[in-house]
Amino acid sequence: MEEYHVIVVGGGHAALSAALSARRAGRRVLVLERAPQHMRGGNSRHTRNVRCAHDRADPYLTGEYGEDEFLEDLRKVGGGQVNVDLARFAISESRTLPPWMTEHGATWQRALSGTLSLGRTNRFFLGGGKALLNAYYDTCRRLGVEVRYEAGVEDIVVEGRRAEAVVLRRGGSRELVRGKAVVVAAGGFEANLGWLKRYWGAAADNFVVRGTPYNDGTVLAALLEKGAAQVGDPKGFHAIAVDARAPKYDGGIATRLDSIPFGIVVNQAGARFSDEGEDLWPKRYASWGARVAAQPGQIAYSIFDAKAIGCFLPPLYKPFQADSIAALAALLQIDPGALVSTVDAYNRATAGNTAFRADALDGLCTRGLGLPKSNWARPIDRPPFCASPLRPGVTFTYMGVGVDETARLVDRHGRPFANLYAAGEIMSGNILASGYLAGFGMTIGGVFGRLAGREAATHAAH
């Protein structure tokens, strides 16, 4: 039976960061990617940037983004119990990610402008996540990392607190693969609607899984069954508002709707239910999945007028359009009287608001509404009037396994496993309790992937 120094379970950014780090340390490394080759890379395929701390502007970043500001941003969107030491470590280590990623094949593009407003805090990889992963896989090939596709890990054999082997199903065969150390970077359970229904009930049937369909929690469940500590809110997830016409799985970033800050959002009853202009979009976009999930039927509508067109990335699906709000309501099968009443009240509360700025908190707020809108509040009064239907689009779940400062799994009593490490979404609940910062998932994947790979390589040397 073959034995590898380090087995990496998963095929996305965290997994490949671990594999490359372990290989750079001279170890024999095997990557087990459950997806076929053309769908390799997990949710990383749908990413575009990574958030990182830095001291000054450069050709790809427009200004300074210090560690204290980074941590404060994380605290503002977060909440609940997180491991602050691990969060600080991720932020500190994020400084070193861009050069490391460049060394392993990443190329970069100049900062984007518009709704995202991420040019100061996030680096964008040229060609998006697929290009980044293609470069990483090519580097793996050149360095001699073995990769098996359509290789689903069903279980991890653990004796005491030591991983002895992984149980691999490939095609119709089942195989035991041994390694001196194992890194799990197999994502959460977001593609397992049955598991989501334990916490969300029947509402989960209306969720869209915008990432890979292969993250069904098989490895996570196996680890929890073997005594790994559970961290993170079982109901917590990174979920955005996607177009309700998006495919059930794997629609990716193109299905996201960025029109929300520039209009209003209503539910089936034609009523607003949340502040659409609460903060800059990169700090709030990932909260809208849960907000829509809490509405009847898990459906909502982004309503905007002609003035907003051009303020955000064009949507993948053409919005519904009409020359009046009442006619728009009819298209959406919403009570026209209710929607007209909501828009009229909103327009009265925004009358005279003209000093609009799309790229900053402009302070244009409503006046006198019970539910305020804090920024970008302009009357919806110029036809055509537009609407896009929204569903919760789940990217990844926060419940995962606990790790220590070396990325080793810990058990329910806080004791580390000897040779079992975790990176990426499967351990993100150590740092993310709720909310999300754009690009921070890639930060967690890169930082803890490298750490897990290095530590696994060190363990395998003995």
Side-chain angles (χ1 to χ4, degrees), residues 28 49 102 206 209 232 241 390 396 433 456:
R28 186 181 181 209
N49 57 76
T102 302
N206 291 322
V209 179
L390 309 174
F396 64 91

Side-chain angles (χ1 to χ4, degrees), residues 4-320:
Y4 295 87
H5 292 129
V6 178
I7 296 173
V8 179
V9 182
H13 182 230
L16 296 187
S17 296
L20 289 166
S21 293
R23 184 60 185 153
R24 288 287 192 190
R27 304 297 172 258
R28 186 181 181 209
V29 180
L30 172 66
V31 172
L32 298 173
E33 163 61 299
R34 185 175 172 184
Q37 184 169 352
H38 71 279
M39 292 183 70
R40 66 188 180 185
N43 289 330
S44 304
R45 289 186 303 133
H46 298 304
T47 62
R48 293 190 298 177
N49 57 76
V50 59
R51 184 171 291 253
C52 51
H54 48 273
D55 294 327
R56 61 187 62 85
D58 65 20
Y60 308 105
L61 295 161
T62 60
E64 176 188 2
Y65 189 50
E67 294 180 28
D68 289 343
E69 183 184 358
F70 195 153
L71 183 61
E72 184 60 21
D73 283 346
L74 185 60
R75 283 177 166 152
K76 284 180 181 176
V77 301
Q81 297 297 317
V82 298
N83 187 321
V84 176
D85 290 338
L86 291 183
R88 288 185 182 279
F89 176 76
I91 290 170
S92 175
E93 284 293 299
S94 73
R95 290 178 175 277
T96 65
L97 275 180
W100 188 90
M101 294 171 71
T102 302
E103 181 185 354
H104 292 87
T107 54
W108 307 92
Q109 69 176 66
R110 291 188 180 278
L112 299 177
S113 59
T115 317
L116 290 175
S117 304
L118 291 171
R120 186 173 65 86
T121 58
N122 292 35
R123 274 192 177 231
F124 284 76
F125 8 99
L126 185 65
K130 284 186 180 178
L132 174 68
L133 289 164
N134 286 342
Y136 276 10
Y137 274 102
D138 188 55
T139 304
C140 283
R141 179 188 56 76
R142 288 190 289 103
L143 293 180
V145 174
E146 183 179 343
V147 179
R148 298 188 196 176
Y149 297 105
E150 301 182 65
V153 171
E154 292 186 335
D155 198 5
I156 296 175
V157 179
V158 175
E159 294 181 5
R161 289 194 303 281
R162 183 179 189 81
E164 297 294 337
V166 301
V167 180
L168 174 66
R169 180 170 292 281
R170 200 176 186 206
S173 64
R174 205 159 180 256
E175 180 184 355
L176 207 60
V177 184
R178 293 194 178 277
K180 292 185 175 180
V182 176
V183 178
V184 288
F189 63 92
E190 63 275 2
N192 187 333
L193 294 180
W195 196 340
L196 285 172
K197 287 174 80 168
R198 296 180 200 170
Y199 317 112
W200 286 92
D205 286 331
N206 291 322
F207 293 174
V208 171
V209 179
R210 70 172 186 135
T212 176
Y214 296 98
N215 284 1
D216 65 1
T218 297
V219 177
L220 173 60
L223 292 172
L224 294 176
E225 185 181 343
K226 289 176 169 52
Q230 177 180 314
V231 299
D233 180 1
K235 204 173 179 179
F237 52 32
H238 173 298
I240 65 170
V242 300
D243 196 296
R245 296 163 288 185
K248 189 70 172 177
Y249 294 93
D250 218 25
I253 199 167
T255 61
R256 190 179 74 195
L257 286 169
D258 294 327
S259 55
I260 289 172
F262 304 116
I264 61 172
V265 178
V266 301
N267 57 20
Q268 282 180 315
R272 292 177 61 235
F273 54 87
S274 196
D275 182 349
E276 301 90 347
E278 192 176 16
D279 204 339
L280 293 172
W281 189 231
K283 298 179 182 179
R284 286 293 177 269
Y285 78 100
S287 67
W288 276 90
R291 298 184 203 200
V292 176
Q295 297 306 303
Q298 294 69 55
I299 185 94
Y301 302 90
S302 171
I303 310 289
F304 54 95
D305 69 0
K307 298 194 302 295
I309 296 172
C311 293
F312 52 89
L313 291 172
L316 179 63
Y317 299 91
K318 185 178 179 181
F320 295 96

Side-chain angles (χ1 to χ4, degrees), residues 307-373:
K307 298 194 302 295
I309 296 172
C311 293
F312 52 89
L313 291 172
L316 179 63
Y317 299 91
K318 185 178 179 181
F320 295 96
Q321 287 192 5
D323 292 332
S324 70
I325 294 296
L328 186 66
L331 292 175
L332 304 177
Q333 299 184 333
I334 294 176
D335 175 17
L339 186 57
V340 169
S341 176
T342 295
V343 173
D344 284 350
Y346 173 79
N347 286 349
R348 287 194 296 274
T350 58
N353 285 358
T354 56
F356 172 79
R357 281 193 59 186
D359 61 344
L361 297 174
D362 64 4
L364 282 186
C365 60
T366 55
R367 296 174 294 280
L369 286 183
L371 173 60
K373 181 179 179 185

